[in-house]
Amino acid sequence: RQRILLISWDFDTRIHLTRGRRWWQRAWRRDEYPARLGSFIVWLTRHSNEVEIRILNWSFGLLKSTARGTMMLDLLTWLRYPRIDFKFDRAHPVGCSHHQKIVLIDDTLAVCGGIDMGDGRWDTQEHLEHDPRRQRPGGSPYGPWHDVTMMMEGPIAETLDELGRHRWARAGGRLLPPLRPSTHSAWPDRLEADFENVEIGIARTRAAFRESSAVSEIEELFLAQIARAKSFIYAETQYFASRAVAEAICVRLAEDDPPEIVVVHPVTAHGKIEAAVMDPARALLARAIDAVDRQNRFHLYSPWVGQTPIYVHAKVLIVDDEILRIGSANFNNRSMRLDSECDVFIDCARPGNAHACDGIQRLRYSLLAEHLGVDAGEIAGLIHRAGSMAGMIAGLGGGEGTRSLRPFHAGEPTALETDLANREMFDPEDPADMFSILPPRRGLFRPGSLLARSMDRLNRKRRRE
């Protein structure tokens, strides 16, 4: 009714909504909106006398937009509409990115998670191996994609709207005033809420820039929540390359009775540069962690459908079915210190939140069932009989044409890959180290840390062999 504010890492006006009129279909009624996103935004503005649409995208998206011919036409078309404002955010140190994914509607409804409004993102929970509906704007197919986001209504939306308006102003946009109180609910009629009457927390990452100080709530909360786990940690992440997270896991695995830790992530990072940076770091960290894991409690998996890997873009953390965390932050150094990130979480230990534990457990069962191709109602019994999540996963196996979680086995990085990973090249913990060619001041394996001692033992063993 009043304002739509979208904050994203990527935004592509060429994508199509699942409903709406295609360009070749003639409009017979005034309320028949176009399916193409860029055209839909114009239609929405024309059919509302008041709503304003503000879109904030990472500045690197400008380079992408030049290769998306019709998107540049959309941006030029939008200039005619003063209530549509699209900005590329450059308010960050060189080498950092704005990685938050937030949608704010009338400061009454908010969406925060891992997915952008870009091409190649759409999929269903079935993640069919070959789905003709998965098409890029040009018509080319793409593979299965797994993502998670959280939709929220109530005071949390007002708080996230304040965060969004601050970021808009920081990027050079005019101040967006708070909106008048709204009695209208934008919550989709067909969407049933998983939680009601809960307190929701917000955690952020932001690098220091000009007058804005650094914020590292994401990292602080990850370390605290890993340390708090009593029985298990279930996580989904696009990358596993964070030194701080890996060290926190090592500390827990060195205990006499460590929690079970299950991490679901993609087979390889998306993109050549990302794979060259993140994959070797993951291999080195996984080996160092395995050397500490004497009770076989740490497990890395990748989801598959038949012979096709499912790309995991979700960022989820569930601890003891007491903590649920969903957002934009991955297990990599950039998410801890460099890029702008935003996570939201429910903690059952907070006063009045105890009733949310059952919902968190249902979500964990649902995610495991989705990856394993079984009914969510079976998961509790399967885990009980197997004794652990990893035992259940191993027992189910998975053959051709079926859904499965396959163990990740770290390959042997080359000498160059190892050096780049140790230097935390392109994934540093400080913006000043982004393009450094000098030896790292800290590096992936800090002297004296449990990770470093573990890697030293592995290297000595390798030299003896």
Side-chain angles (χ1 to χ4, degrees), residues 243-314:
R243 175 202 58 81
V245 169
E247 285 188 358
I249 289 174
C250 278
V251 170
R252 297 307 314 273
L253 294 175
E255 297 174 358
D256 293 335
D257 186 21
E260 179 184 26
I261 302 175
V262 169
V263 178
V264 177
H265 68 341
V267 171
T268 184
H270 187 70
K272 292 183 179 179
I273 295 178
E274 290 87 344
V277 172
M278 301 298 175
D279 289 1
R282 173 182 60 175
L284 292 172
L285 290 176
R287 289 188 171 190
I289 292 172
D290 285 341
V292 177
D293 184 20
R294 302 183 185 278
Q295 301 186 50
N296 193 31
R297 299 290 281 170
F298 177 73
H299 305 275
L300 284 172
Y301 296 103
S302 298
W304 290 70
V305 53
Q307 299 306 307
T308 302
I310 299 170
Y311 194 76
V312 177
H313 193 257

Side-chain angles (χ1 to χ4, degrees), residues 112-115 146-150 236 313-316 326-327 367:
C112 179
I115 194 166
H146 175 71
D147 226 323
V148 178
T149 195
M150 185 184 288
E236 296 184 353
H313 193 257
K315 303 92 167 66
V316 177
I326 293 172
L367 290 168

Side-chain angles (χ1 to χ4, degrees), residues 118-327:
D119 75 306
R121 299 319 202 249
W122 181 91
D123 205 356
T124 68
Q125 284 183 289
E126 287 72 29
H127 301 304
L128 301 176
E129 189 168 13
H130 305 289
D131 192 333
R133 297 171 295 177
R134 286 198 305 260
Q135 289 187 9
R136 299 187 185 278
S140 61
Y142 60 90
W145 184 278
H146 175 71
D147 226 323
V148 178
T149 195
M150 185 184 288
M151 184 177 290
M152 298 155 283
E153 188 177 52
I156 181 65
E158 298 178 25
T159 305
L160 285 169
D161 184 71
E162 182 181 356
L163 183 154
R165 288 187 286 112
H166 179 268
R167 179 172 163 186
W168 177 266
R170 186 169 176 254
R174 65 175 179 83
L175 289 176
L176 299 177
L179 300 175
R180 65 178 183 271
S182 175
T183 58
H184 170 74
S185 173
W187 189 271
D189 294 335
R190 294 180 295 175
L191 185 64
E192 182 179 349
D194 293 293
F195 305 94
E196 294 186 48
N197 301 316
V198 292
E199 177 195 67
I200 299 176
I202 301 171
R204 304 163 299 153
T205 295
R206 183 183 68 203
F209 184 70
R210 294 176 181 168
E211 72 283 356
S212 298
S213 59
V215 177
S216 57
E217 297 164 353
I218 294 279
E219 181 181 34
E220 293 166 13
L221 195 65
F222 269 137
L223 301 187
Q225 291 172 340
I226 291 171
R228 179 173 145 184
K230 298 182 289 292
S231 299
F232 63 83
I233 296 171
Y234 174 85
E236 296 184 353
T237 181
Q238 184 182 7
Y239 305 126
F240 188 84
S242 165
R243 175 202 58 81
V245 169
E247 285 188 358
I249 289 174
C250 278
V251 170
R252 297 307 314 273
L253 294 175
E255 297 174 358
D256 293 335
D257 186 21
E260 179 184 26
I261 302 175
V262 169
V263 178
V264 177
H265 68 341
V267 171
T268 184
H270 187 70
K272 292 183 179 179
I273 295 178
E274 290 87 344
V277 172
M278 301 298 175
D279 289 1
R282 173 182 60 175
L284 292 172
L285 290 176
R287 289 188 171 190
I289 292 172
D290 285 341
V292 177
D293 184 20
R294 302 183 185 278
Q295 301 186 50
N296 193 31
R297 299 290 281 170
F298 177 73
H299 305 275
L300 284 172
Y301 296 103
S302 298
W304 290 70
V305 53
Q307 299 306 307
T308 302
I310 299 170
Y311 194 76
V312 177
H313 193 257
K315 303 92 167 66
V316 177
L317 182 72
I318 297 176
V319 178
D320 294 337
D321 290 337
E322 294 180 354
I323 297 171
L324 168 63
R325 176 172 176 167
I326 293 172

Side-chain angles (χ1 to χ4, degrees), residues 243 276-277 280-282 284-285 333 413-429 438-446 451-452 455 459:
R243 175 202 58 81
V277 172
R282 173 182 60 175
L284 292 172
L285 290 176
N333 295 326
T414 65
L416 176 59
E417 290 174 334
T418 299
D419 183 60
L420 290 177
N422 284 328
R423 291 174 181 268
E424 298 179 338
M425 186 67 72
F426 300 115
D427 186 35
E429 298 179 53
L438 300 175
R441 289 178 293 173
R442 290 174 292 272
L444 196 62
F445 298 97
R446 294 188 179 185
L451 268 177
M455 184 55 68
N459 289 336

Side-chain angles (χ1 to χ4, degrees), residues 386-402:
S388 66
M389 287 185 285
M392 173 193 66
I393 293 167
L396 288 174
E400 185 175 351
T402 64

